Amino acid sequence: TLLCLLAVGLVMWLWLWAYYAAAARWNGGTFSELLLKQIPTVGYCASVAVLSAVYRPIARTLTNYENYRTAEAHRNALIAKRVLFELANNYSTLFYMAFCIPNNMGELRAYLFQLLLVMQVVFQLLESGPPAAQLALRRWRQRRVNAKSSAEPTAPNGAALKIASSNGYSAASVSAAPVSTAPVSAAPVS
């Protein structure tokens, strides 16, 4: 857990350094400079989401290796690990800006506003993006299947050529051309 907290501190420091470098470089009022200035905030928000997703199984594994007598003690240890990590992961940048950089309330207010907006957008995309992508992929596959079935190949005599695949092998069969099934009348014998 301590190594993961150190990793969070390193990531936080790198994104803050990028934030201050971007603020120093793009201090104009053009729209493109304002967007470029947001890149470190977006990167920090994405790294918060990634680090949280990475730490969850690590915390579960570490807690499983510890020998607790009851399930409640096991659950409490897992909760303590996760809460400590999530607090450090989500709020370390704000604590650093609030308590380690003197006379920085205006910049802290602006950073908090940016962070809240970007976090809302990033987590909304993470929540709604995968289901939307799955739906689009399902529709695309269905359109491919429909296009293949409408463009069914034909044999030289005009009969439908049906290809059946089973276990990765394909076999082709040709259905015969339609034959008249009308009864044949016999001529009377004289």
Side-chain angles (χ1 to χ4, degrees):
T1 302
L2 186 60
L3 288 175
C4 293
L5 291 174
L6 288 174
V8 165
L10 178 65
V11 168
M12 182 252 339
W13 183 80
L14 288 173
W15 285 116
L16 267 178
W17 176 80
Y19 175 76
Y20 285 120
R25 181 172 180 162
W26 296 300
N27 56 3
T30 65
F31 183 70
S32 61
E33 287 181 346
L34 287 174
L35 284 179
L36 289 172
K37 201 174 175 180
Q38 303 307 317
I39 291 174
T41 307
V42 172
Y44 175 72
C45 292
S47 68
V48 164
V50 168
L51 286 172
S52 290
V54 167
Y55 185 70
R56 282 187 192 118
I58 291 173
R60 191 174 297 117
T61 303
L62 288 174
T63 308
N64 287 340
Y65 280 131
E66 297 169 357
N67 192 13
Y68 292 102
R69 290 184 183 213
T70 63
E72 183 179 353
H74 180 272
R75 186 177 55 250
N76 289 341
L78 180 61
I79 290 170
K81 282 181 182 62
R82 297 262 322 266
V83 165
L84 180 65
F85 181 82
E86 294 295 333
L87 281 172
N89 192 24
N90 290 312
Y91 302 113
S92 60
T93 306
L94 296 173
F95 282 128
Y96 178 77
M97 288 180 79
F99 300 116
C100 295
I101 301 174
N103 300 326
N104 200 21
M105 292 309 282
E107 193 168 332
L108 177 64
R109 187 178 304 117
Y111 186 74
L112 180 61
F113 179 70
Q114 293 170 0
L115 192 64
L116 289 174
L117 280 177
V118 170
M119 287 287 251
Q120 283 294 319
V121 170
V122 166
F123 284 117
Q124 186 68 31
L125 289 175
L126 287 175
E127 186 176 321
S128 64
Q134 287 176 348
L135 180 63
L137 181 64
R138 191 176 313 125
R139 287 180 179 167
W140 176 75
R141 285 180 180 164
Q142 187 63 37
R143 281 194 303 264
R144 274 186 53 202
V145 167
N146 291 344
K148 282 183 180 180
S149 65
S150 67
E152 193 172 290
T154 57
N157 65 353
L161 179 66
K162 296 185 180 179
I163 300 174
S165 76
S166 168
N167 298 331
Y169 299 102
S170 20
S173 65
V174 177
S175 62
V179 178
S180 174
T181 57
V184 178
S185 60
V189 179
S190 42

